[in-house]
Amino acid sequence: MSAVPAGVSGRGPAPAPAARIGHYRWVICGLLFLGTTINYVDRQVIGILKPLLVQQFGWQDERIYAAIIFTFQLAYAIGLLLAGRVMDKLGTRRGFTIAVVVWSIAAVGHALADRMPGLKLPTVNLDPRTGLSLVLLTGAAAGFALMRFLLGLGEAGNFPASIKTVAEWFPKKERALATGIFNAGTNVGALLTPLAVPWITLHFGWRAAFIGTGLIGFLWVALWLAMYQPPERHPRLSAAELAYIRSDPVERLTPIPWAKIIPHRQTWAFALGKFMTDPIWWLYLFWIPDFLNRNYGLNLSAMGLPIVVIYLIADVGSIGGGWLSSALIKNGWTVNAARKTAMLACALAVVPIIFASRAANLWVAVLLVALAASAHQGWSANLYTLVSDMFPRSAVGAVVGFGGMAGAVGGMFISIVVGEILQRTGSYVPIFFMAGFTYLAAFGIIHLLVPRLAPATFGDQETRTA
């Protein structure tokens, strides 16, 4: 996409100068940022509390925790398969509301996970002799697995809703930056959690940590319902800003069935990118507290600062990755060249994490993990934006949901693989080696599938690569 004046789209007079266009679209982006922040707070609490929960409930076998995480990923995969369609049919106002209510109920429900007598829940584990096999969780483990399952179903709605909202509220040239900004909420949530959860836990107990963080989602729902309407019906959106938002060529909004979305190589480029790289982010989210405890002996009260540093640096990558491709586009680069240059830079920046597991110094390891997490977020901002680059708005929610489902399936596998590796070796060396080279492999596959980011066509419906 070359840098062109906002109004040059063949649709009539140019919009008013930027100073008079308005900025309400960025208020909406702020709501998405806040929702994503809450999303990541709620999902990360269990990772921060893992050492305490392992001690309290006797989960000495690493595969028990891995199985609990697996249930979240399983539900997340199922939810993402459905969430895109839900958002496309109900709209983001209602669809996002339902998603946040469901996950907030589940987040609070973790506080009662050990008070469900007789509960048994089947899940999956990895046996090197027989491969994947069913295992039965009981007691507190079953209760936590059930709550993780419900949490995964609800949280699956966040990204399909947010990406669809960005596609509806921003012209193409601003979408990568908007995506990077709301996606930065993942890092803010991830850095707030190790600050808040240890303090709450040390003063009020682990149950209060789940309840206190879970209730925040209900406050967000009230804010969302009070401030959000579709652009065409929003009373606070000026005509000039609406014209600017709609300055790209008109796209038909007829829903596109799954059967027409799945066969496209553009769909699989996004889905395989998510399948390969999302699990690495799950690795950081659910296992880095354990890595710090295992390798450097950090307890609940001491691990807050290192984790905050990791996700604070990751926040820079989220915004920086989106900014980089948007800046290249504004300087005359094509969408294809800009997005892929940014993604390749991020893929290369992940590689040094292979040295983190053998770092003698805590802060060397922290900075290596932080660099990789930052690079992932820059990669993710651009990967998400590929969807709106290649698909019409009517298909964005479904494609993002399908790709997110693929990422969650990858996360299911990595949870059981990491659990098995740690149970047998107690080492993160092979785990970080795998993380270091995954992005380069994913980049190569994406480029082979969509060498020019060609638009997906659906009969007389077509997007364009601007």
Side-chain angles (χ1 to χ4, degrees), residues 250-264:
V250 176
E251 298 172 0
R252 296 189 181 186
L253 298 180
T254 305
I256 299 172
W258 275 107
K260 291 186 177 181
I261 292 173
I262 300 300
H264 283 277

Side-chain angles (χ1 to χ4, degrees), residues 78 117 147 159 198 205 307 314 336 347 376 381 405 429:
I78 295 170
M147 290 302 106
F159 284 95
I307 295 177
N336 182 57
H376 170 88
M405 180 271 296
V429 171

Side-chain angles (χ1 to χ4, degrees), residues 46 59 64-75 106 110 113-114 116 119-123 136-152:
I46 195 170
W59 300 340
I64 295 176
Y65 178 75
I68 293 171
I69 298 304
F70 176 89
T71 60
F72 173 88
Q73 302 288 3
L74 174 62
H110 282 68
D114 64 327
M116 301 177 185
L119 179 65
K120 298 180 180 180
L121 195 71
T123 184
L136 194 65
L137 296 178
T138 60
F144 276 100
L146 176 61
M147 290 302 106
R148 297 308 288 178
F149 188 88
L150 296 176
L151 185 73

Side-chain angles (χ1 to χ4, degrees), residues 4 7 88 124 150 168 202 218 235 301 331 334 348 353 396 448 456 459:
V4 295
D88 287 341
V124 172
L150 296 176
E168 292 174 343
L202 292 172
F218 296 106
S301 60
N331 280 281
T334 64
L348 291 170
I353 197 177
V396 164
L448 285 174

Side-chain angles (χ1 to χ4, degrees), residues 220-390:
W220 183 90
V221 167
L223 194 62
W224 176 254
L225 292 175
M227 299 181 66
Y228 184 87
Q229 291 289 347
E232 287 76 9
R233 300 202 302 267
H234 207 294
R236 300 184 186 179
L237 189 66
S238 68
E241 187 170 6
L242 179 61
Y244 178 73
I245 292 169
R246 296 290 178 258
S247 60
D248 293 317
V250 176
E251 298 172 0
R252 296 189 181 186
L253 298 180
T254 305
I256 299 172
W258 275 107
K260 291 186 177 181
I261 292 173
I262 300 300
H264 283 277
R265 55 191 170 84
Q266 292 92 336
T267 301
W268 287 101
F270 176 70
L272 289 174
K274 296 286 285 180
F275 175 81
M276 295 178 70
T277 61
D278 272 16
I280 309 304
W281 182 251
W282 299 118
L283 169 66
Y284 304 149
L285 197 67
F286 295 132
W287 300 91
I288 288 301
D290 178 74
F291 166 69
L292 296 174
N293 176 260
R294 184 186 299 264
N295 282 38
Y296 302 100
L298 300 190
N299 59 23
L300 184 64
S301 60
M303 70 174 57
L305 181 58
I307 295 177
V308 165
V309 169
I310 289 171
Y311 290 110
L312 189 61
I313 294 175
D315 217 25
V316 176
S318 181
I319 297 176
W323 171 85
L324 176 58
S325 64
S326 294
L328 292 174
I329 290 169
K330 289 180 179 180
N331 280 281
W333 290 45
T334 64
V335 170
N336 182 57
R339 301 279 191 248
K340 289 181 179 175
T341 296
M343 293 175 74
L344 178 58
C346 292
L348 291 170
V350 177
V351 175
I353 197 177
I354 64 175
F355 302 108
S357 55
R358 291 184 173 176
N361 182 274
L362 166 66
W363 287 103
V364 171
V366 166
L367 292 176
L368 288 172
V369 173
L371 175 63
S374 179
H376 170 88
Q377 291 297 72
W379 165 278
S380 184
N382 284 280
L383 183 61
Y384 271 122
T385 309
L386 294 185
V387 179
S388 58
D389 291 333
M390 297 186 294

Side-chain angles (χ1 to χ4, degrees), residues 400-430:
V400 169
F402 180 73
M405 180 271 296
V409 170
M412 290 160 54
F413 284 109
I414 203 170
S415 65
I416 56 179
V417 168
V418 169
E420 188 66 28
I421 290 173
L422 291 177
Q423 181 65 22
R424 290 181 169 273
T425 71
S427 173
Y428 276 87
V429 171

